[in-house]
Amino acid sequence: MLYIIGLGLGDERDITLRGLEAVKKCEKVYMEAYTSLLSFGLSADGLSTLEKLYGKPITVADRDMVEEKVDTMLSEAIASDVAFLVVGDPFGATTHTDLVVRAKELGVNVKVIHNASVMNAVGVCGLQLYRYGETVSIPFFTDVWKPDSFYERIQNNRKLGLHTLCLLDIRVKEPTWESLARGKKQYEPPRFMTINTAIEQLLEVEQQRGESAYDEETECVGFARLGSEDQMIVAGTMRELLAFDFGAPLHCLVIIGKTHPLEEEMLNVYRHK
């Protein structure tokens, strides 16, 4: 059996009781470590904290393993119980959907144990979840690569009066272009996009496109370390949030659409002063 288990957003205590019971009976435990990270997972002792609670050694599953060498883990799950731990909810990333498909093709039984994710935790700011449109991802720009497919999605959401959740880039164990050219992988230092960088890039694209999908005065909500004890939530214009220090990762951003009176009342709690 392959158990795909959501860990929630904050720390090791956010796993559900059902999830913890499943982990403790598994022979092997893997932890996906590139689509997101628990807040304490950024520290050197984060993994050992999990291992202490679960009473099991944990194998970190990076992008290469999950996307290229996952058959080893699935083969183990044919004859024994294997846990695959995912920050947030298991289906917050398309990679995990692909994992279920591949498991089914190999005849592996799969059980999913859900948990909170950024997709529903952003409701804490008061914007109603059913008033969100399509979620977008904001990747790090480079000198030669500046994808802007998110622009049309934000534009369409705003035309409909819907809010837009922007998931910000996380680059963990990403190979450098130079090493790929040489055929021997070397990895970039980990990078986590800040709200400030995301807004800079959003405004850069707006300036290039000039279609008035948003501007410096567009209202947004910035979230840092959502679900943790020191989470930060600040509402304000892009211009105001651009100058705000949100501190340590992970960050995400919501671009506000049309609001209702109750939403406005909640947003006022988090307004940038």
Side-chain angles (χ1 to χ4, degrees):
M1 174 78 76
L2 174 66
Y3 290 89
I4 305 180
I5 302 168
L7 296 181
L9 296 171
D11 59 28
E12 73 279 7
R13 297 168 297 172
D14 283 356
I15 191 171
T16 64
L17 288 175
R18 287 179 62 219
L20 184 58
E21 289 171 357
V23 169
K24 289 191 171 182
K25 73 178 184 180
C26 287
E27 292 185 25
K28 292 288 293 288
V29 180
Y30 294 87
M31 181 166 180
E32 187 264 284
Y34 71 90
T35 62
S36 189
L37 295 170
L38 288 172
S39 57
F40 75 96
L42 299 170
S43 65
D45 61 348
L47 190 63
S48 64
T49 304
L50 282 173
E51 291 177 330
K52 186 180 296 184
L53 175 65
Y54 302 157
K56 303 269 184 177
I58 297 174
T59 301
V60 175
D62 59 19
R63 182 187 295 273
D64 287 346
M65 187 207 150
V66 176
E67 295 185 348
E68 300 173 16
K69 305 172 186 175
V70 72
D71 288 345
T72 299
M73 179 179 72
L74 294 178
S75 296
E76 294 169 345
I78 293 174
S80 62
D81 290 332
V82 174
F84 184 72
L85 310 181
V86 178
V87 175
D89 185 80
F91 293 113
T94 53
T95 296
H96 309 137
T97 304
D98 179 66
L99 179 61
V100 173
V101 171
R102 294 171 74 172
K104 294 293 187 181
E105 289 173 348
L106 292 173
V108 177
N109 292 320
V110 177
K111 185 166 186 177
V112 176
I113 301 176
H114 295 281
N115 209 318
S117 79
V118 65
M119 306 292 284
N120 63 314
V122 291
V124 68
C125 74
L127 296 174
Q128 299 302 304
L129 294 178
Y130 63 85
R131 296 286 303 159
Y132 279 76
E134 187 174 357
T135 297
V136 302
S137 296
I138 311 294
F140 277 113
F141 286 176
T142 70
D143 292 339
V144 296
W145 190 69
K146 297 186 178 184
D148 60 2
S149 60
F150 54 78
Y151 185 84
E152 286 85 1
R153 293 177 175 87
I154 296 170
Q155 187 176 49
N156 291 337
N157 286 345
R158 287 178 60 75
K159 285 178 180 177
L160 295 170
L162 301 176
H163 316 307
T164 306
L165 171 60
C166 303
L167 302 176
L168 309 189
D169 204 359
I170 297 171
R171 298 186 67 80
V172 178
K173 204 174 180 183
E174 294 284 344
T176 64
W177 289 108
E178 294 82 1
S179 70
L180 289 174
R182 290 196 301 266
K184 185 176 181 181
K185 287 184 180 179
Q186 291 182 321
Y187 298 99
E188 300 175 357
R191 289 198 297 159
F192 309 94
M193 184 179 286
T194 64
I195 290 164
N196 317 79
T197 297
I199 292 175
E200 287 175 357
Q201 294 188 179
L202 284 163
L203 293 174
E204 179 182 343
V205 172
E206 176 56 58
Q207 186 174 27
Q208 292 170 346
R209 301 286 288 266
E211 298 175 26
S212 301
Y214 49 80
D215 57 32
E216 285 189 339
E217 300 308 312
T218 297
E219 294 278 338
C220 299
V221 185
F223 302 83
R225 301 169 301 284
L226 188 59
S228 65
E229 293 291 337
D230 67 339
Q231 73 176 14
M232 183 178 291
I233 305 167
V234 181
T237 64
M238 285 192 176
R239 177 176 48 79
E240 290 170 335
L241 299 189
L242 188 58
F244 193 86
D245 182 5
F246 284 87
L250 298 170
H251 295 183
C252 64
L253 178 72
V254 169
I255 300 173
I256 299 174
K258 184 178 180 181
T259 55
H260 296 303
L262 183 57
E263 289 179 309
E264 280 294 330
E265 288 183 31
M266 272 294 288
L267 285 173
N268 284 336
V269 174
Y270 300 110
R271 291 277 179 206
H272 177 66
K273 301 296 192 292

